[in-house]
Amino acid sequence: MKRFVAICLGASLFGGQALAEDVTIGLSAPLSGAQAYFGSTWHNGFKLYVEKLNADGGVNGTKILIDQQDDKADPREGTLVAQKFCDNDSITIALVNFNSGVAQSTLPIYEDCELPNMTFASNPALTQLGYEFMVRPVGNDLTNARLPAEYALDKLSAKTALIVSDKQVFGQGVSEIFSENFKKGGGEIIDTLSVAPSDVDFTAVLAKIKSSEPDVIFVGAVMPQLSLFAKQMHEQGVTAQLIVPDGGYTPDFITQAGEANAQGVLMSIQVPPMDASPEIAEFARLYKEKYGEEAGPYSIYGYVQGQILEAVIKTTKGFSREEMNDALHAVKVKTVVGELEFDETGELKAAPSYVYQVEGDGFVLKGTN
């Protein structure tokens, strides 16, 4: 028998003593700091599904245990968590890396110890580095940043755009993809400005933007910079259409920017509306019943990863890391967001994306690919 170590941060232990057939899953995400909402609600979706599986007796009798860790959206913390997971022989698969900058540092570690993982980091380059032990069960930025560029051109009749980037792996990546697709569609990028990840005052940047008079502004950054930028942009009278990446798809964006300042802001995300199908609506109901709040931006993909894990456990030849990895890459599973399977690089073969706009105190669907 193996005994499971108590989960950090007060996460629930799904079973007291691990039997030989139990499977331990490592979870890593930002659970504290500015991005804690994203990481914790993503993990909550996964735990919701796992609790259901364990309550029903497990997957073919196999119970799922969880070791949850906080990477704080910090590459240094992420590498410590990755090494901890690698050194724990009972962990045979991991759900990791909400942030592309963290994934850039941790994926080589997981590869070295041959720990199969489902990464959530969206930078397209991550699956082009030859990693054999990772898959990405969510659309990458090639889709998620292309769609708003196409929307700006086709639906807003935008001719010019100005890019603001925080120069980080994620922010720079989505900025470049938006820019490339905007130009490809016939638009003009009139300037590309940089800000530091710690900047909170955008007065000088906005003054330059105001004089440039772009039709749209795309900001490649994360929270809370996105909400601060929207607030200051409105206060300084910049009237261009603001477009932000998926990090803005959170109630905090509206509350921190101020509802009046956030109106009309566009963003794209891989998450469908919670009433898009009966299965998704049922997930949303179960989540609210369990946690007492609406599902977070990526909670449904945590739930989907639970469904993927169930399929892996059902099809694996054994519970070694190599056997789990083989089953993970070969998986083909029907989930609440549709049937999913991975290509040879670990990318989803089909990955939808959606454009939302802030209206009132919420987000309204405006388009999809």
Side-chain angles (χ1 to χ4, degrees), residues 142-162:
L142 290 175
T143 297
N144 216 35
R146 182 183 71 238
L147 182 58
E150 294 173 346
Y151 186 91
L153 291 164
D154 299 339
K155 303 299 182 181
L156 305 180
S157 299
K159 304 298 183 184
T160 60
L162 187 145

Side-chain angles (χ1 to χ4, degrees), residues 3 5 13 38 63 70-71 118 133 137 141 151 154 156 165 174 194 210 217 223 225 227 300 307 315 365:
R3 188 175 298 276
V5 180
L13 178 60
F38 292 99
K63 293 293 185 70
D70 181 9
D71 67 26
M118 292 186 254
F133 285 82
D141 294 333
Y151 186 91
D154 299 339
L156 305 180
S165 168
V174 291
S194 297
K210 192 171 185 178
I217 303 166
M223 290 287 289
Q225 279 192 315
S227 58
I300 194 166
Q307 294 179 304
T315 57
L365 181 67

Side-chain angles (χ1 to χ4, degrees), residues 61-127:
T62 296
K63 293 293 185 70
I64 300 168
L65 311 179
I66 291 177
D67 185 342
Q68 184 180 29
Q69 301 285 336
D70 181 9
D71 67 26
K72 303 177 183 177
D74 183 341
R76 291 169 297 180
E77 291 288 338
T79 58
L80 295 175
V81 172
Q83 195 59 59
K84 181 180 292 186
F85 286 167
C86 283
D87 293 342
N88 185 347
D89 291 337
S90 69
I91 296 178
T92 56
I93 193 169
L95 276 65
V96 296
N97 306 135
F98 180 79
N99 304 88
S100 294
V102 177
Q104 191 175 55
S105 297
T106 61
L107 287 175
I109 298 173
Y110 291 123
E111 190 74 11
D112 285 345
C113 72
E114 299 185 346
L115 178 58
N117 63 90
M118 292 186 254
T119 187
F120 218 74
S122 56
N123 187 282
L126 296 173
T127 53

Side-chain angles (χ1 to χ4, degrees), residues 115-311:
L115 178 58
N117 63 90
M118 292 186 254
T119 187
F120 218 74
S122 56
N123 187 282
L126 296 173
T127 53
Q128 304 302 314
L129 300 175
Y131 295 130
E132 297 179 359
F133 285 82
M134 63 90 78
V135 298
R136 176 161 42 203
V138 67
N140 66 36
D141 294 333
L142 290 175
T143 297
N144 216 35
R146 182 183 71 238
L147 182 58
E150 294 173 346
Y151 186 91
L153 291 164
D154 299 339
K155 303 299 182 181
L156 305 180
S157 299
K159 304 298 183 184
T160 60
L162 187 145
I163 309 297
V164 179
S165 168
D166 67 1
K167 299 181 289 186
Q168 301 300 290
V169 175
F170 171 74
Q172 183 170 328
V174 291
S175 297
E176 290 173 352
I177 294 166
F178 179 92
S179 178
E180 289 168 5
N181 283 278
F182 193 80
K183 289 187 291 185
K184 187 184 298 182
E188 177 190 358
I189 303 298
I190 58 177
D191 206 350
T192 299
L193 306 176
S194 297
V195 296
S198 58
D199 285 352
V200 295
D201 183 352
F202 304 107
T203 303
V205 170
L206 286 166
K208 190 170 185 179
I209 292 173
K210 192 171 185 178
S211 64
S212 299
E213 298 184 340
D215 294 327
V216 299
I217 303 166
F218 182 86
V219 179
V222 298
M223 290 287 289
Q225 279 192 315
L226 297 177
S227 58
L228 291 171
F229 192 93
K231 181 176 186 293
Q232 293 173 33
M233 175 179 159
H234 188 266
E235 291 172 345
Q236 294 194 32
V238 178
T239 58
Q241 172 67 60
L242 178 60
I243 304 175
V244 302
D246 55 353
Y249 190 76
T250 165
D252 286 346
F253 176 79
I254 300 173
T255 56
Q256 291 176 14
E259 188 172 316
N261 302 325
Q263 294 307 296
V265 176
L266 289 166
M267 61 204 63
S268 63
I269 191 170
Q270 303 94 326
V271 177
M274 289 296 99
D275 59 356
S277 71
E279 294 80 9
I280 292 173
E282 175 64 6
F283 155 77
R285 184 191 69 79
L286 291 172
Y287 189 98
K288 189 170 184 178
E289 182 180 275
K290 171 67 178 178
Y291 297 108
E293 62 181 15
E294 302 296 336
Y298 286 111
S299 299
I300 194 166
Y301 275 99
Y303 196 80
V304 165
Q305 287 174 300
Q307 294 179 304
I308 293 172
L309 178 63
E310 179 184 15

